[in-house]
Amino acid sequence: MANSVSEVSTMAATDPREVYLQGLVQTVKAAVPEDLALSNLRSRTELLLKEQTFPSPRQEDWRFTDLSALLAIAFTSPGATSGATTVAEADIADLRLPETTGAQLVVVNGRFSAELSQVEGLPPGAIAGSLRTLATQLDPDQLADRLAQASGGHDVFTALNTVGFGDAVVVWLPRNSVVETPLQIIYVSQPEAHPLIVQPRCLVVAESGSALTLIEDFWGEASDTHFTNAVTELWLDANAQITHSRIQHEGAGTFQIAKTVVTQARDSQYLGTAVDFGAKLARHNWEIYQTGEQTTTKLYGLGAIAANQHSDTHSLVALSHPHGVVEQEHKAIVDGKAHSVFNGRMAVAQKAQHTSASQLNRNLLLSDQARVDTKPQLEIVADNVKCAHGATVSQLQSDEIFYLQSRGISAPQAQRLLIYAFAMEILDRIPLATLRSRLAQTIAQWA
Amino acid sequence: MINQNSDIILSVSDLHATVDGTEILKGLNLEVKAGEIHAIMGLNGSGKSTFSKVLAGHPDYTVTAGEIVFKGQNILELEPHERATSGIFLAFQYPLEIPGVSNRDFLRVAFNAHRKARGEDEIDVFDFDDLIEAKLDVVKMDAAFLDRSVNEGFSGGEKKRNEILQMALLEPILAILDETDSGLDIDALRTVAGGVNQLSTTDNAVVLITHYQRLLDYIVPDYVHVMADGRIITTGDKALAQELESRGYEWVLEDHRAGVTA
């Protein structure tokens, strides 16, 4: 085995993308603390990475999202031994939602911060915190069955995260545990002297019959160059329910590549809303794998980007059992020279009879230089299914603006109202009133 | 109601307008006084709807000659929203659907835009709710419609009633109803017409643009104009509408041609 590894690395040395990837692997490994070695998992995953290269636009999956700019940047990991970066409470106070008081987990540059977190609002038996300190409360075998075990773990950035995450947030709900207080995880990107690669990792296991409202909030303020490579794994066992809001408002210099992977057992319900406002370049891979029948999956997405921002959502819903219901609506508002990408893949296998799926992608272009690439990708093998999809790219309709003007509303106000309305159709899916109104405010100011 | 001493609300003279370089209005003249109800009839393509859009300031149309004087002011330089807040209201033939904007919010924003233009303070959500619910009666509309997106999923009749509700709220001085009756069943037509009649006073005026005499059984016009080829070619009272209904338009057009050539 050792031989074959060294052979592969020797060959890799010729291609700059492979060299860069292997460099990143070494960089992120430096972030791994001794108490979180996970040697089997990590070495297995590292082997997978030896066979991979850093993505290029020549690969179909990365055709519209060019990561070449990263190749020129030498990232470092936040030091495993030099002490975790901290953030002042005042800097994140505004992010805390009143509804989540008592259930807030704060992660700074991938490291869980016990000082800034609160878990007293969680019901007895529910576990939430850092993998590094929770190890004694978790059954090692059960953990091994879940951590980094979802489909798609070999994807290059997912594997990179697995090889080098320095900490992980774990949320584990026992059978029938209903968490009344929504749980908020705040991931802070805090720059250091050198450009950082940080790798937040989150594992949520909702055992049979449990229910959770989860908010993931990726936030950074700095315009410094920064790379967030995040992975969140959600497991919904039979009849479990998770309502998930994922907000990405990273700093203007941030590259964020993220994976949300949801594994749904029979009768489970996942309702996810993903909002992308921030980052210089953001790629969200949102993957749903069905492992039992009659699952419900609702995916709502909103991107609002301007200037030179780039936002890419690649979703995959893989159905392999009957009676699944999928509803997806993804919207983007694109201004300036921004570029929005949507690739919505639905794979309906032979066994997934009586699937009902719909997908709608709507894009609003606010400038002549803005760009949208959209690609619905339906792969349907089952024959008794309902699958509808549609995609639109449009500008604000002058007739709609005129209608509003004819009622006394000025053209700029009419435009703001229409943009706001376009966005609110997605934001209204977010169950927390405070979060919804904060995001609405952002849109109102943005438009 | 005709009263020769009433103020002139609208005076259109020798109006020419084009769309995409094609001339549609070719010297239209019309004068409307307070308290009057005018009906403009005519065949498809005669320029009726263009006239209504030009009055409201639709950006697709270019006025190439003539003037529109509203309450003594030439409005050609005014933006559509400025025309609206000065008292012109166009009920659309095809009201637009605006997904994501609740009817209630839309009406409030429009109402407050009018108040702001008059130098008045905006009214808050609660006061507005009382106000709008009182107006619902005018068009016999259920309050549930206020919380739906503007016109989204409304039937044809509901959309037209929603237009009249807006008119009831905004209290225009000049209301132009562009084929508000087209496609309505008789009950909806009665409701819409009843609403317009309730809103009609000696201080305001209504211009009805219609294909059908039937509307004029419910809203009785003081004047009936016939449009052809971008002009008003003849004017009469409601008897003219009945004659058009029974004899069609051909005789008017022929009389007009004869008159032009004579």
Side-chain angles (χ1 to χ4, degrees), chain A residues 12-57:
Chain A
T14 54
D15 180 319
R17 286 178 189 269
E18 288 179 25
V19 172
Y20 186 75
L21 178 60
Q22 294 313 320
L24 273 183
V25 170
Q26 297 312 314
T27 302
V28 300
K29 280 170 72 179
V32 174
E34 281 173 18
D35 59 8
L36 203 60
L38 303 168
S39 343
N40 282 343
L41 172 67
R42 297 203 204 249
S43 55
R44 239 187 303 132
T45 311
E46 192 178 343
L47 276 180
L48 290 175
L49 279 169
K50 300 279 185 198
E51 293 160 17
Q52 303 226 35
T53 184
F54 193 79
S56 97

Side-chain angles (χ1 to χ4, degrees), chain A residues 128-409:
Chain A
S130 163
L131 180 59
R132 298 173 67 188
T133 52
L134 289 174
T136 53
Q137 296 176 55
L138 297 164
D139 177 330
D141 292 338
Q142 286 192 11
L143 181 66
D145 282 347
R146 308 282 193 161
L147 183 65
Q149 299 308 305
S151 296
H154 58 277
D155 289 354
V156 56
F157 290 106
T158 310
L160 186 67
N161 183 295
T162 300
V163 165
F165 62 80
D167 199 349
V169 166
V170 176
V171 178
W172 202 296
L173 306 182
R175 269 179 95 84
N176 298 331
S177 172
V178 176
V179 184
E180 302 289 348
T181 309
L183 175 70
Q184 182 181 16
I185 307 176
I186 300 171
Y187 303 93
V188 180
S189 292
Q190 182 83 338
E192 290 178 5
H194 302 286
L196 288 182
I197 174 168
V198 307
Q199 302 208 100
R201 181 86 185 201
C202 178
L203 170 68
V204 177
V205 178
E207 288 188 5
S208 170
S210 63
L212 174 71
T213 298
L214 173 70
I215 298 98
E216 286 192 289
D217 199 342
F218 292 87
W219 177 82
E221 207 172 28
S223 55
D224 310 45
T225 300
H226 183 93
F227 182 6
T228 301
N229 178 38
V231 173
T232 295
E233 288 175 282
L234 307 180
W235 295 84
L236 286 81
D237 290 354
N239 210 27
Q241 295 178 20
I242 294 182
T243 301
H244 179 206
S245 305
R246 181 187 193 278
I247 316 302
Q248 184 275 107
H249 43 157
E250 294 255 33
T254 295
F255 296 85
Q256 187 190 81
I257 295 175
K259 161 81 71 77
T260 303
V261 56
V262 184
T263 308
Q264 284 192 254
R266 63 171 301 162
D267 304 319
S268 65
Q269 297 186 25
Y270 173 73
L271 190 160
T273 308
V275 178
D276 268 286
F277 285 166
K280 177 197 186 77
L281 179 151
R283 163 72 172 250
H284 184 211
N285 293 296
W286 203 358
E287 301 183 355
I288 286 77
Y289 298 95
Q290 184 196 40
T291 61
E293 63 186 62
Q294 201 172 304
T295 55
T296 299
T297 309
K298 298 191 176 182
L299 306 179
Y300 303 106
L302 173 69
I305 53 172
N308 288 303
Q309 282 181 288
H310 181 101
S311 170
D312 175 351
T313 296
H314 265 60
S315 66
L316 164 64
V317 182
L319 298 166
S320 47
H321 293 76
H323 297 288
V325 174
V326 183
E327 186 181 308
Q328 180 174 27
E329 185 168 2
H330 190 88
K331 288 189 170 190
I333 303 169
V334 195
D335 201 357
K337 293 180 179 171
H339 184 185
S340 177
V341 181
F342 175 72
N343 189 107
R345 189 172 154 214
M346 291 210 189
V348 183
Q350 177 63 37
K351 272 183 72 187
Q353 297 294 348
H354 307 287
T355 291
S356 166
S358 67
Q359 180 190 78
L360 183 63
N361 173 227
R362 292 182 62 198
N363 299 283
L364 190 54
L365 284 174
L366 297 181
S367 107
D368 293 343
Q369 291 173 297
R371 178 174 165 186
V372 167
D373 287 288
T374 174
K375 184 175 158 200
Q377 198 180 339
L378 274 65
E379 298 159 5
I380 301 166
V381 181
D383 39 34
N384 189 6
V385 298
K386 276 191 286 186
C387 288
H389 73 92
T392 63
V393 180
S394 61
Q395 295 171 316
L396 285 174
Q397 297 299 304
S398 58
D399 276 349
E400 287 181 8
I401 292 172
F402 176 65
Y403 187 59
L404 294 168
Q405 282 181 291
S406 77
R407 300 301 179 251
I409 299 165

